[in-house]
Amino acid sequence: MARKQTHNELEAVYVISVAAALSGMHPQTLRIYERRGLIEPFRTPGGPRRYSDADLERLSLIQDLTSQGINIEGVKRIMRLEAENEALRNEVRRLRRRMKVIEEAAVLAAQESQRPYRTEILVRRDIMGLPDLPG
């Protein structure tokens, strides 16, 4: 039976030598960054690493930060804070969308409360003992 491919698996197309060449790094550097927890390439069922474009962007950021003199632990912290910041931005966007829906519902409710209400009461004449109305 064929195994369904995951999103990460479909995006991770570069073997380590190609990812290293594209990022301008040595393959061993990529392995070190993986061991240090800076990058997590997809692993095929046989074990070889596969890198995606997102991984290459991450490697570029790592290279940028380390070239500025930031050590690996500093890079990890910066990347963790950036991920946390992005998650918070997403949460703010989600809450703003939700707030907009709530505000729209409140406006509709306020408009509804300004309308005069017409009340109708349905009565079963047989139960109430009322005479039938002429036809």
Side-chain angles (χ1 to χ4, degrees), residues 14-31 33 39 49-52 55-56 59-60 63:
Y14 307 110
V15 295
I16 193 166
S17 59
V18 173
L22 290 172
S23 65
M25 298 178 186
H26 192 278
Q28 191 59 34
T29 305
L30 274 60
R31 290 184 192 97
Y33 287 167
I39 192 150
R49 297 167 179 86
R50 293 287 187 269
Y51 294 85
S52 66
D55 292 328
L56 295 178
L59 288 168
S60 177
Q63 192 172 39

Coordinates of all heavy atoms in Angstrom, one line a residue, residues 14-31 33 39 49-52 55-56 59-60 63:
Y14 N 15.9 18.9 -1.6 CA 17.4 19.0 -1.8 C 18.1 18.1 -0.9 O 17.9 18.1 0.3 CB 17.9 20.5 -1.5 CG 17.1 21.5 -2.3 CD1 16.2 22.4 -1.6 CD2 17.3 21.7 -3.6 CE1 15.5 23.4 -2.3 CE2 16.6 22.7 -4.3 CZ 15.7 23.5 -3.7 OH 15.0 24.5 -4.3
V15 N 19.0 17.3 -1.5 CA 19.9 16.5 -0.7 C 20.9 17.4 0.0 O 21.1 18.6 -0.4 CB 20.6 15.4 -1.5 CG1 19.6 14.4 -2.1 CG2 21.4 16.0 -2.6
I16 N 21.6 16.9 1.0 CA 22.5 17.7 1.8 C 23.6 18.4 0.9 O 23.9 19.6 1.2 CB 23.2 17.0 2.9 CG1 23.8 17.9 3.9 CG2 24.1 15.9 2.5 CD1 24.2 17.3 5.3
S17 N 24.2 17.7 -0.1 CA 25.2 18.4 -0.9 C 24.7 19.5 -1.7 O 25.3 20.6 -1.8 CB 25.8 17.3 -1.8 OG 24.9 16.8 -2.7
V18 N 23.4 19.4 -2.2 CA 22.8 20.5 -3.0 C 22.5 21.7 -2.0 O 22.7 22.8 -2.3 CB 21.6 20.0 -3.7 CG1 20.8 21.1 -4.4 CG2 22.0 19.0 -4.8
A19 N 21.9 21.3 -0.9 CA 21.5 22.4 0.1 C 22.8 23.1 0.6 O 22.7 24.3 0.7 CB 20.8 21.7 1.3
A20 N 23.9 22.4 0.8 CA 25.1 23.0 1.2 C 25.6 24.0 0.1 O 26.0 25.1 0.4 CB 26.2 22.0 1.5
A21 N 25.6 23.5 -1.2 CA 26.0 24.3 -2.3 C 25.2 25.6 -2.4 O 25.7 26.7 -2.6 CB 26.1 23.5 -3.6
L22 N 23.9 25.4 -2.3 CA 22.9 26.5 -2.5 C 23.1 27.5 -1.3 O 22.9 28.7 -1.5 CB 21.5 26.0 -2.6 CG 21.1 25.3 -3.8 CD1 19.7 24.7 -3.7 CD2 21.2 26.2 -5.0
S23 N 23.4 27.0 -0.1 CA 23.5 27.9 1.0 C 24.9 28.5 1.2 O 25.2 29.4 2.0 CB 23.1 27.2 2.3 OG 24.0 26.1 2.6
G24 N 25.9 27.9 0.4 CA 27.2 28.4 0.5 C 27.9 27.9 1.8 O 28.9 28.5 2.3
M25 N 27.5 26.8 2.3 CA 28.0 26.2 3.5 C 28.6 24.8 3.2 O 28.2 24.2 2.2 CB 27.0 26.1 4.6 CG 26.4 27.4 5.0 SD 25.1 27.1 6.3 CE 24.5 28.8 6.5
H26 N 29.4 24.3 4.1 CA 29.9 22.9 4.0 C 28.8 22.0 4.5 O 28.1 22.3 5.5 CB 31.2 22.8 4.8 CG 31.9 21.5 4.5 ND1 31.6 20.4 5.1 CD2 33.0 21.3 3.7 CE1 32.4 19.4 4.7 NE2 33.3 20.0 3.8
P27 N 28.7 20.8 3.9 CA 27.7 19.8 4.4 C 27.9 19.5 5.9 O 26.9 19.4 6.6 CB 27.9 18.6 3.6 CG 28.5 19.1 2.3 CD 29.3 20.3 2.7
Q28 N 29.1 19.5 6.4 CA 29.3 19.3 7.8 C 28.7 20.4 8.7 O 28.2 20.1 9.8 CB 30.8 19.1 8.1 CG 31.1 18.6 9.5 CD 30.5 17.2 9.8 OE1 30.4 16.4 8.9 NE2 30.1 17.0 11.0
T29 N 28.8 21.6 8.2 CA 28.2 22.7 8.9 C 26.6 22.5 9.1 O 26.1 22.7 10.1 CB 28.4 24.0 8.2 OG1 29.8 24.2 8.0 CG2 27.9 25.2 8.9
L30 N 26.0 22.0 8.0 CA 24.6 21.7 8.1 C 24.3 20.6 9.1 O 23.3 20.7 9.9 CB 24.0 21.3 6.7 CG 23.6 22.4 5.8 CD1 24.7 23.4 5.4 CD2 23.0 21.9 4.5
R31 N 25.2 19.6 9.2 CA 25.0 18.6 10.2 C 25.2 19.1 11.6 O 24.4 18.7 12.5 CB 26.0 17.4 9.9 CG 25.7 16.6 8.7 CD 26.7 15.5 8.5 NE 26.6 14.9 7.2 CZ 27.4 15.2 6.2 NH1 28.4 16.0 6.3 NH2 27.2 14.6 5.0
Y33 N 24.6 22.2 12.5 CA 23.4 23.0 12.8 C 22.2 22.2 13.2 O 21.5 22.5 14.1 CB 23.1 23.9 11.7 CG 24.0 25.1 11.5 CD1 24.0 25.8 10.3 CD2 25.0 25.5 12.4 CE1 24.9 26.9 10.1 CE2 25.8 26.5 12.2 CZ 25.8 27.2 11.0 OH 26.6 28.3 10.8
I39 N 18.3 23.7 12.8 CA 17.6 23.3 11.6 C 17.1 21.8 11.8 O 17.8 21.0 12.5 CB 18.4 23.5 10.4 CG1 17.6 23.4 9.1 CG2 19.6 22.6 10.3 CD1 18.0 24.3 8.0
R49 N 18.9 13.1 4.7 CA 18.3 14.4 4.9 C 17.8 15.0 3.6 O 18.4 14.8 2.6 CB 19.3 15.4 5.5 CG 19.8 15.0 6.8 CD 21.0 15.8 7.2 NE 21.6 15.5 8.5 CZ 22.5 14.6 8.7 NH1 22.9 13.8 7.7 NH2 22.9 14.4 9.9
R50 N 16.7 15.7 3.7 CA 16.1 16.4 2.5 C 15.8 17.8 3.0 O 15.1 18.0 4.1 CB 14.9 15.8 1.9 CG 15.1 14.4 1.3 CD 15.8 14.6 0.0 NE 15.9 13.3 -0.8 CZ 16.9 12.5 -0.6 NH1 17.9 12.7 0.2 NH2 16.9 11.4 -1.4
Y51 N 16.3 18.8 2.3 CA 16.1 20.2 2.7 C 15.1 20.9 1.8 O 15.0 20.6 0.6 CB 17.4 21.0 2.7 CG 18.4 20.5 3.7 CD1 19.2 19.4 3.4 CD2 18.5 21.1 4.9 CE1 20.1 18.9 4.3 CE2 19.4 20.6 5.9 CZ 20.2 19.6 5.6 OH 21.1 19.1 6.5
S52 N 14.3 21.8 2.4 CA 13.3 22.6 1.6 C 13.8 24.0 1.4 O 14.8 24.4 1.9 CB 12.0 22.6 2.4 OG 12.1 23.4 3.6
D55 N 14.0 25.6 4.7 CA 15.3 25.3 5.4 C 16.4 26.1 4.8 O 17.3 26.6 5.6 CB 15.6 23.8 5.1 CG 14.6 22.9 5.8 OD1 14.1 23.2 6.9 OD2 14.4 21.8 5.3
L56 N 16.5 26.3 3.5 CA 17.5 27.2 2.9 C 17.4 28.6 3.4 O 18.5 29.3 3.7 CB 17.5 27.1 1.4 CG 17.8 25.7 0.8 CD1 17.7 25.8 -0.7 CD2 19.2 25.2 1.2
L59 N 18.8 28.6 6.9 CA 20.3 28.6 6.8 C 20.9 29.9 6.5 O 21.9 30.3 7.0 CB 20.7 27.5 5.8 CG 20.5 26.1 6.2 CD1 20.7 25.1 5.0 CD2 21.4 25.7 7.4
S60 N 20.2 30.7 5.6 CA 20.7 32.0 5.2 C 20.6 32.9 6.4 O 21.5 33.7 6.6 CB 19.8 32.5 4.1 OG 20.2 33.8 3.7
Q63 N 23.4 32.0 8.8 CA 24.7 32.5 8.2 C 24.8 34.1 8.4 O 25.8 34.6 8.8 CB 24.7 32.2 6.7 CG 26.1 32.4 6.1 CD 26.1 31.8 4.7 OE1 25.1 32.0 4.0 NE2 27.2 31.2 4.3

